[in-house]
């Protein structure tokens, strides 16, 4: 079990990597800015629609089915968050911990089955 | 630790990674074009440098000197920040990825969880790119990529949970520490006991990389490049870099977690001189598999794609988790685990075959007036 100081020292690298990652992208983009030609003409600023003039706005309303999958994702991702600590410790706690998580998985499994029967998993 | 200073040590180690990333992207780009060329009975790039080895360098120079165009109607901040949001998480995820048992930046105790959690953030960048571009193709591609990537995230994470269940330290405690996961595999890699989890992991990783056959979000012939339509020059190259770094990341992760990393078959004592080539060979084989899959498989339809994740991969991942739990709780022999998981893998392959062969869903035909000739719906 690392102490707080050790934990801090471990995660300094994450902070450095974040900053360095930004610097990496920024460096490439600044290099591009220096080396590339710049000639702003009006047609260049139009959004691409296979060479035709764009019709209407680019941002349109999106179909509801994407939202359904986002909801399903949330449910199962939260389950994954619960599963990770359980996976590390269920052997220490014993068979009871396994069956409790089994009940949890089965409830969510029924949820998936319900979504399946309702046709939420069918892409239409 | 170098210099007994965590900041300096971290900075130096990450600088090595930051230099290695663009290099690996350049090499992989060349290798990929050569591999796809060979599969299609072509030579691939041959003109620039001996056997075309400098082709990717030439492409980099070309992208670096290309004008950076932004549509007038684009949302400036979203548009310009999107490449950062795609690339930075992949760099951060590399922090805790070990190459051998003492070659890493920081071996975090939550390694496996950290990598999965951080590398997922790239999805936000794709959605930002699509929304910021103010382009119909871009936003359609962004929505598709969001739907696909979050759907395949679940089986990927569940496969990792299955491994986290069997992984343990020498004193029998559970662990997410990647070095300990590799060392725990000893003489038999987890692919033997967890073949179903490996299958799920590789397929989900293929989808997470949005490469063929899972390239619906960026399909050129459907949404002309998806979220990247409006990007050019280095900004576009950043997205490609994110994609290739993710490819390396997931391949190394799979070879660590399932193929025994630096441990199998030589054992833990051989030292870095043999450990580094061993893990490089395993990773290269996985990367070549991903490239080969890209070259030979046709694109999946979106209905197959979504159904495959939720109706095949997810239930099978639950099956693997429950089997793991049963075998571990009742201390059954490992062979049972291997056999049950292998049976699951065969089922998964059969279901995959059936899913790919599934016909186009027939839309309910409009009511036909009595006596009118029925037309065959296509």
């Amino acid at each position: 079990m690392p102490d707080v100081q050790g934990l801090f020292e471990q995660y300094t690298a994450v902070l450095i990597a974040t900053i360095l990652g930004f610097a990496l992208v920024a460096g490439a983009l600044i290099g591009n800015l220096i080396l590339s030609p710049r000639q702003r003409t009006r047609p260049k600023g139009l959004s691409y629609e296979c060479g035709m003039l764009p019709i209407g706005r680019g941002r349109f309303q999106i179909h509801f089915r994407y939202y359904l999958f986002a909801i399903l994702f949330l449910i199962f991702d939260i389950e994954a968050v619960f599963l990770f600590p359980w996976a590390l410790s269920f052997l220490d706690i014993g068979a009871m911990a396994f069956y409790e998580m089994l009940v949890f998985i089965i409830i969510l499994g029924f949820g998936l089955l319900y979504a399946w029967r309702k046709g939420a998993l069918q892409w239409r | 630790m170098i210099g007994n200073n965590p900041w300096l040590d971290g900075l130096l180690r990450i600088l090595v990674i930051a230099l290695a990333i663009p290099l690996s992207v350049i090499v992989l780009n060349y290798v990929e074009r050569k591999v796809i060329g060979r599969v299609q009975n072509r030579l691939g790039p041959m003109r620039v440098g001996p056997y075309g080895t400098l082709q990717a360098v030439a492409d980099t120079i070309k992208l670096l000197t290309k004008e950076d165009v932004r549509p007038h109607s684009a949302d400036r901040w979203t548009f310009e920040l999107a490449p950062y949001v795609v690339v930075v998480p992949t760099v951060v995820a590399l922090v805790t990825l070990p190459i051998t048992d003492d070659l890493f930046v920081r071996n975090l105790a939550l390694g496996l969880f950290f990598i999965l959690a951080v590398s997922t953030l790239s999805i936000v960048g794709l959605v930002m790119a699509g929304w910021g571009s103010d382009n119909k193709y871009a936003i359609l591609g962004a929505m598709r990529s969001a739907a696909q990537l979050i759907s395949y995230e679940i089986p990927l994470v569940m496969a990792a949970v299955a491994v986290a269940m069997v992984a343990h330290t020498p004193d029998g405690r559970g662990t997410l520490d990647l070095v300990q996961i590799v060392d725990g595999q000893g003489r038999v890699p987890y692919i033997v006991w967890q073949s179903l989890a490996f299958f799920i992991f590789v397929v989900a990783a293929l989808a997470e990389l949005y490469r063929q056959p899972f390239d619906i979000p960026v399909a050129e012939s459907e949404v002309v490049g998806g979220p990247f339509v409006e990007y050019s020059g280095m900004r576009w190259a950043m997205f490609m870099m994110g994609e290739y770094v993710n490819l390396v990341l997931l391949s190394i992760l799979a070879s660590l977690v399932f193929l025994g990393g630096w441990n199998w078959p030589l054992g833990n004592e051989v030292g870095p001189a043999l450990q580094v080539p061993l893990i490089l060979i395993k990773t290269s084989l996985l990367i070549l598999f991903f490239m080969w899959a890209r070259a030979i498989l046709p694109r999946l339809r979106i209905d197959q794609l979504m159904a495959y994740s939720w109706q095949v991969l997810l239930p099978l991942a639950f099956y693997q988790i429950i089997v793991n739990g049963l075998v571990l709780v009742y201390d059954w022999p490992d062979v049972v685990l291997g056999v049950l998981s292998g049976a699951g893998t065969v089922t998964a392959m059969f279901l995959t075959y059936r899913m790919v062969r599934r016909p186009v869903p027939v839309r309910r035909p409009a009511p036909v007036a009595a006596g009118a000739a029925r037309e065959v719906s296509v």
Side-chain angles (χ1 to χ4, degrees):
Chain A
M1 198 69 189
D3 55 325
V4 176
Q5 182 68 30
L7 208 62
F8 173 73
E9 280 176 12
Q10 282 207 320
Y11 280 89
T12 48
V14 176
L15 180 62
I16 298 170
T18 315
I19 296 166
L20 224 76
F22 270 99
L24 186 73
V25 181
L29 294 186
I30 288 168
N32 190 8
L33 205 66
I34 295 167
L35 292 172
S36 67
R38 250 165 299 167
Q39 276 194 329
R40 299 259 166 198
T41 58
R42 190 163 160 69
K44 266 186 198 169
L46 292 175
S47 53
Y48 174 77
E49 275 194 33
C50 301
M52 312 298 284
L53 285 175
I55 300 166
R57 291 191 66 208
R59 301 187 182 94
F60 55 89
Q61 285 188 317
I62 298 141
H63 199 283
F64 178 72
R65 58 197 173 199
Y66 293 100
Y67 182 67
L68 273 181
F69 281 103
I71 298 261
L72 276 173
F73 165 75
L74 269 185
I75 295 165
F76 284 97
D77 215 31
I78 288 170
E79 184 187 7
V81 170
F82 283 121
L83 276 174
F84 265 107
W86 167 79
L88 295 192
S89 56
F90 75 104
L91 279 178
D92 299 341
I93 304 171
M96 202 58 217
F98 170 68
Y99 284 110
E100 278 175 15
M101 194 46 91
L102 194 62
V103 170
F104 184 48
I105 291 176
I106 287 172
I107 291 173
L108 282 177
F110 272 116
L112 183 68
L113 212 62
Y114 178 72
W116 192 335
R117 290 290 299 161
K118 281 282 177 184
L121 305 181
Q122 191 77 44
W123 191 267
R124 281 172 299 213
Chain B
M1 189 174 284
I2 305 162
N4 209 14
N5 179 343
W7 294 93
L8 184 67
D9 173 67
L11 184 67
L12 288 175
R13 283 165 187 250
I14 295 165
L15 266 178
V16 173
I17 285 187
L19 291 176
I21 291 169
L23 204 68
S24 73
V25 171
I26 286 174
V27 173
L28 276 179
N29 186 290
Y30 170 72
V31 172
E32 172 145 50
R33 291 166 72 172
K34 273 291 187 194
V35 166
I36 292 180
R38 296 310 306 184
V39 171
Q40 295 170 347
N41 208 6
R42 298 183 282 118
L43 289 173
M46 283 298 277
R47 293 298 175 97
V48 191
Y51 293 96
T53 38
L54 296 176
Q55 182 66 50
V57 180
D59 286 346
T60 312
I61 294 168
K62 169 246 179 185
L63 285 169
L64 206 54
T65 55
K66 195 170 169 179
E67 186 177 357
D68 180 26
V69 183
R70 175 163 51 86
H72 294 310
S73 52
D75 187 315
R76 180 169 177 185
W77 281 100
T78 330
F79 185 84
E80 296 194 347
L81 269 178
Y84 293 91
V85 181
V86 170
V87 173
V88 172
T90 61
V91 179
V92 173
L94 284 171
V95 164
T96 182
L97 201 68
I99 305 297
T100 72
D101 48 6
D102 54 7
L103 192 63
F104 45 75
V105 178
R106 286 285 186 276
N107 189 34
L108 303 178
L110 281 175
L112 184 59
F113 187 73
F114 180 83
I115 288 183
L116 291 172
V118 171
S119 60
T120 314
L121 285 175
S122 300
I123 301 173
V124 181
L126 294 180
V127 177
M128 279 170 72
W131 184 257
S133 299
D134 191 31
N135 183 308
K136 298 187 184 74
Y137 297 118
I139 195 155
L140 195 57
M143 283 305 135
R144 283 177 168 193
S145 62
Q148 174 182 324
L149 296 191
I150 62 176
S151 292
Y152 280 87
E153 190 68 28
I154 304 288
L156 191 80
V157 172
M158 292 299 168
V161 168
V163 171
M165 288 172 77
V166 290
H168 53 82
T169 53
D171 57 340
R173 299 186 63 84
T175 182
L176 289 173
D177 184 323
L178 280 168
V179 171
Q180 288 178 353
I181 287 177
V182 173
D183 284 343
Q185 295 179 41
R187 290 282 168 195
V188 187
Y190 286 149
I191 184 174
V192 178
W193 311 132
Q194 304 284 308
S195 52
L196 179 58
F198 178 70
F199 178 84
I200 293 169
F201 191 91
V202 168
V203 174
L206 198 59
E208 285 291 302
L209 297 166
Y210 48 90
R211 301 159 69 77
Q212 285 93 335
F214 296 101
D215 69 332
I216 282 277
V218 293
E220 276 85 3
S221 52
E222 294 181 21
V223 286
V224 283
F228 321 135
V229 186
E230 294 294 354
Y231 286 85
S232 70
M234 224 46 204
R235 253 182 238 288
W236 178 83
M238 285 300 115
F239 287 111
M240 290 301 111
M241 188 165 105
E243 191 184 324
Y244 277 106
V245 177
N246 253 330
L247 173 67
V248 177
L249 182 83
L250 285 172
S251 302
I252 296 183
L253 190 62
S255 58
L256 287 178
V257 166
F258 290 103
L259 302 181
W262 54 82
N263 228 334
W264 179 80
L266 295 178
N268 201 5
E269 303 84 25
V270 290
L274 282 173
Q275 285 175 347
V276 174
L278 195 59
I279 191 156
L280 282 183
I281 288 168
K282 287 173 182 173
T283 310
S284 312
L285 283 177
L286 272 171
I287 290 178
L288 282 175
F289 168 76
F290 285 135
M291 289 175 176
W292 172 75
R294 173 177 183 161
I296 64 160
L297 292 173
R299 184 180 299 145
L300 289 175
R301 291 194 314 269
I302 195 158
D303 64 299
Q304 292 172 326
L305 192 91
M306 304 305 280
Y308 184 59
S309 166
W310 291 100
Q311 298 178 358
V312 178
L313 290 186
L314 187 56
L316 284 168
F318 282 145
Y319 166 77
Q320 175 77 74
I321 288 174
I322 291 169
V323 164
N324 278 356
L326 274 176
V327 171
L328 289 172
V329 163
Y330 290 108
D331 221 8
W332 290 341
D334 285 345
V335 184
V336 180
L337 193 56
V339 169
L340 286 175
S341 188
T345 314
V346 174
T347 317
M349 285 171 174
F350 172 69
L351 290 175
T352 309
Y353 177 75
R354 256 193 51 186
M355 186 61 73
V356 174
R357 305 283 299 204
R358 196 158 83 168
V360 183
V362 182
R363 289 174 192 281
R364 191 168 295 143
V368 183
R374 274 181 182 272
E375 283 181 29
V376 180
S377 68
V378 184

